[in-house]
Amino acid sequence: MQNGQTSNGATGVKSKERNIIMGAGPAGLCSAYVLSKAGANATVVESAPFVGGLARTIRRDTENGEFKFDIGGHRWFTKNEDLNDLFREVVDDELLWVNRISRIYFDGKFIDYPLKIVSALKAVGPITAARAVLDYGRIKVKQRIKSTEVRSMEDAYVNQYGETLYKLFFQAYSEKVWGLKCDKLSGDWVSQRTKGMSLITAIKDAVIPSKGDVVSLIEQFMYPRDGFGRFSERMADSIRASGNEIRLKNAVEKIVLDGNRVKGIRVRTENGPELIEGDNFISSIPFTVLVKIMEPAAPADVIAAAETLTFRDIITVNLMIRKRQVTPDTWLYVHDRNILFGRFHEPKNWSPAMVPSDEYTSLVIEYFCTKGDHIWNMSDEQLVNQSVKHLVEDLDFVRPEEVLGGFTLRATKAYPVYDLDYQEPLLRMKDYIQSIENLQYIGRGGSFRYNNTDHSIETGMLAARNLLGETHDLERVNADDEYHEIKRKSSAAGVV
Ligand SMILES: Cc1cc2nc3c(=O)[nH]c(=O)nc-3n(C[C@H](O)[C@H](O)[C@H](O)COP(=O)(O)OP(=O)(O)OC[C@H]3O[C@@H](n4cnc5c(N)ncnc54)[C@H](O)[C@@H]3O)c2cc1C
């Protein structure tokens, strides 16, 4: 990266400057929220008829009452107190604290997730456990003698946990999520998610509990009572209350350039095409799309770079169930290769308000897929039936007559795929976009970075602050060197 993404020449926004934000997911809404609170102008342009993007909540009215479903459960967690403050401020009186119990369903047994080594070693039996520890020792000795190159996801997991644990607990699930073999995926995702975690630290933490210098973000999390989507809906309410506008059903089709500045965006509306002109632009639409809709077009090598990057898609199957509880879990990860889905969550365990009454529960079952593959091509009815079959026959979690009904939701571009070669084309695209003075890119798909909501809104917040006269490098977001679910007091000055 040559230059970080800073204010792109748009510092010190004047009250009359028109700030146009593309995408009304959490990142884009956060930009508009921060600008609105500062009394600045903001117009959000969103292709969907609703706000919230991947982090929205769907409501389903039935004769039994209303069920609510996130697109895969979304919990709020962050190490950044600035963001926690913003989340609390927005969600306000709807905020709940939820205890987290997540487990892996493995060979008929339950193992704590994130992987707790002692629980995993117990579940696999003494012989495999001994092999796992030996493997781990072998890899650590090898690393001492000669530094091992970590290129692929497989290298990264083996390096961190040894081959036995990798094969038992990471390989099958990762391949379900990404649809690629782990040796074809970059190790970056692992280092982004499991920084500083190792078998030794895990065993040490299990045997000698930490003396309080580590704050776990695993056990509890914040959640809005009526679904994670309320976070976006409430930001949207506040943006509108300040007099700013959110234009739904407005799909951005072209970014119209004038030299090295954006002059306006061409959108498709219900009444036909329209050019929305502005002074400053923030994009949270997929990065690969952004570079392809420039007018005049981006250089051919930049477009070719964008063609090489892919996203993974997701289908959720949402089941409404007459039963008080299926499992006590927040999430249950299902590694078994014969079961098509990857994990599920039970919304009622997050908030009782997600189901009509205590008599009912529901499940959100996640199928990781790629548009056009065998899972994507299954009909909605097949997917619902397949899910119920797995739950009844393979997992013994429900009886068929308890399932009141189900429906699916398909979301494309849910996960940016870090394949082995993603970095070079991504840098090429960033170099080009950063040469455009009044355009910042934010969010998850918007920056082609595996950002959770916290990092997504952080980029949105900082992009807005750049327009308000501060100088922030958005490339530094989600680039720290610590596992994202622990926070060491000593390394997070002023945060704990
Ligand atoms: C299954 C799943 C589970 C997750 N769980 C968690 C979790 O537990 N905790 C957590 O913090 N995060 C979680 N996330 C991540 C979270 O969803 C994202 O970090 C967050 O939604 C990113 O926000 P965003 O605004 O960058 O992108 P998005 O939410 O993708 O929003 C982008 C918006 O841009 C709009 N758009 C796209 N193209 C155009 C166009 N051409 N014109 C106009 N608008 C356009 C889209 O319609 C969308 O509304 C999860 C994600 C998934 C898929």
Side-chain angles (χ1 to χ4, degrees), residues 353-396:
M354 300 298 280
V355 291
S357 78
D358 194 36
E359 210 187 315
Y360 302 98
T361 190
S362 59
L363 293 179
V364 178
I365 297 166
E366 295 174 37
Y367 287 83
F368 308 108
C369 54
T370 300
K371 202 171 175 178
D373 73 7
H374 66 290
I375 294 180
W376 186 271
N377 287 339
M378 287 169 77
S379 70
D380 294 352
E381 197 188 350
Q382 281 172 326
L383 282 159
V384 170
N385 292 342
Q386 181 75 43
S387 307
V388 175
K389 190 167 179 288
H390 283 321
L391 290 168
V392 172
E393 293 176 13
D394 302 314
L395 300 168
D396 198 18

Side-chain angles (χ1 to χ4, degrees), residues 101-116:
I101 309 170
S102 286
R103 295 180 298 172
I104 300 170
Y105 184 78
F106 171 83
D107 219 8
K109 301 181 199 86
F110 293 94
I111 298 168
D112 297 329
Y113 180 92
L115 194 66
K116 289 214 177 116

Side-chain angles (χ1 to χ4, degrees), residues 398-411:
V398 291
R399 293 199 309 270
E401 64 276 16
E402 289 171 333
V403 180
L404 301 171
F407 65 97
T408 64
L409 188 135
R410 291 165 193 261

